[in-house]
DNA sequence: GTCTATAGGTTGATAGAC
DNA sequence: GTCTATCAACCTATAGAC
């Protein structure tokens, strides 16, 4: 399984996460993967198709796991808490990211980069997630005006994306205070923070003069 | 004031925000600014120096405003609430970003991109912010283990950065539900969410077997 | 200060031998 | 499937006329 194609995918994943898609040259990838430059265009057709393949390989399993966890949580409607819904959203991506070194920033980049790449991913995977998680949030007892709910979901995704993007530098940034070896602990902190934020009282808007 | 130098800065700001630093060529900038290609290297010395100038122009005022607002809040120690501290952190950047169309994604990108650019900005501006805001948080009544506090600050910055990065596409992404014309309203929502998150009870960590 | 012209390097992609 | 060699297009930066 350590054939050329896989080695290219592995190297591309690391470098895309570290430097972004457009700043990563095919030459950098083939050097890191120790394969020939032409191998990229043989196994994939273009750099764009390689990007798709890199995303495809990781996002599919995470999306499936998210929906699985949500299924489990929703199987017991009475016990469906806000925390369980948020955990189903956050845990799969955090665990996947922490399990494979260098994967986190790529995941974060996908969530935090608007434009062509996000749309490509969003339309293909996130639509299913959104259509399942929004109703689940409501069923879990969240009572918010639609606009407020959308903003708070946005804040939540931002927290999650930020954790992933900064994962490689987090220990250094915090002077060793924050470590990443325990993905479960990170998810727990994130869930506690976001659940409390979701339950915050809705600010009354002042009337304009 | 609409001289060549300013036109370059304006165009660079827009394009850096939209496509990132490395994906934006000097040609794209000079075309957008309707100036000659060589003007960039005349007025600035290099692309790297241009990036610095673009950042410098916007971040300085925001940093000053942040510290000003914190000064005002801390002038009345009894009334120093968590909300006021978070607002002093978030409001200046949101208001600056919303005031100038196209500026938001650049601000978000600065906050959400680790690596050379963040370090350049972080060391020059954020160190002052951090050294003032962390103590202010404690004085406002936050009682958290240092590790937990750092994580929650990280979550908060992530929410803020995400709002900025996605500002241009937020209305479309929410099917028109979330608009950006009222920066104050966004800050209020963000403050409510993050303050509640900061006040969340600390999750008890399970002992490892 | 503004321009043209160009140097010198890197990129993605491909043709064709093995 | 893997390689070398190469193309055309792009990039940043600069030299030098005006």
């Amino acid at each position: 399984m350590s054939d050329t194609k896989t080695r290219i995918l592995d190297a591309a994943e690391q470098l895309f996460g570290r430097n972004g898609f457009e700043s990563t040259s095919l030459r950098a990838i083939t050097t890191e993967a120790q394969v020939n430059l032409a191998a990229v265009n043989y196994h994939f057709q273009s750099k764009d198709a390689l990007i798709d393949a890199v995303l495809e390989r990781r996002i599919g399993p995470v999306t499936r796991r998210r929906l699985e966890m949500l299924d489990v949580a929703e199987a017991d409607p009475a016990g469906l808490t806000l925390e369980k819904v948020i955990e189903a959203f956050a845990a799969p991506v955090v665990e996947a990211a922490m399990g494979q070194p260098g994967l986190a920033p790529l995941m974060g980049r996908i969530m935090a980069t608007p434009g062509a790449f996000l749309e490509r991913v969003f339309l293909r995977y996130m639509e299913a997630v959104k259509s399942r998680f929004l109703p689940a949030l409501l069923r879990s007892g969240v009572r918010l005006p639609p606009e407020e709910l959308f903003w708070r979901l946005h804040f939540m995704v931002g927290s999650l994306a930020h954790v992933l993007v900064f994962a490689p530098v987090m220990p250094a940034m915090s002077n060793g205070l924050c470590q990443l070896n325990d993905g479960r602990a990170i998810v727990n902190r994130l869930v506690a923070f976001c659940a409390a934020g979701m339950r915050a009282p809705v600010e009354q808007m002042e009337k304009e003069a």
Side-chain angles (χ1 to χ4, degrees), chain A residues 50-86:
Chain A
L50 171 63
I51 294 175
D52 271 346
V54 169
L55 300 184
E56 197 94 35
R57 183 169 68 141
R58 299 301 183 189
I59 298 178
V62 166
T63 301
R64 269 192 300 279
R65 184 90 186 98
R66 275 176 160 165
L67 298 179
E68 264 175 36
M69 283 186 69
L70 193 59
D71 284 339
V72 171
E74 291 195 304
D76 171 23
L80 182 66
T81 61
L82 173 57
E83 277 78 2
K84 282 184 182 168
V85 177
I86 297 176

Side-chain angles (χ1 to χ4, degrees), chain A residues 27-49:
Chain A
R27 279 168 177 79
I29 294 171
T30 54
T31 301
E32 169 84 12
Q34 293 183 295
V35 303
N36 188 270
L37 171 60
V40 171
N41 286 75
Y42 175 78
H43 287 285
F44 312 86
Q45 294 85 334
S46 64
K47 182 181 180 180
D48 237 44

Side-chain angles (χ1 to χ4, degrees), chain A residues 4 42 48 60 69 71 83 85 102 109-110 121-122 125 129 151 166 171 177 182 185 189:
Chain A
T4 298
Y42 175 78
D48 237 44
M69 283 186 69
D71 284 339
E83 277 78 2
V85 177
R109 206 174 278 274
I110 293 168
V121 173
F122 195 81
Y125 303 95
V129 174
W151 276 110
F166 279 82
L177 202 61
D182 188 358
R189 292 185 210 278

Side-chain angles (χ1 to χ4, degrees), chain A residues 116-134:
Chain A
F117 295 111
L118 180 86
E119 281 151 33
R120 185 148 58 187
V121 173
F122 195 81
L123 295 176
R124 218 184 300 152
Y125 303 95
M126 289 304 286
E127 196 51 42
V129 174
K130 190 174 124 190
S131 67
R132 284 286 319 272
F133 274 86
L134 262 175

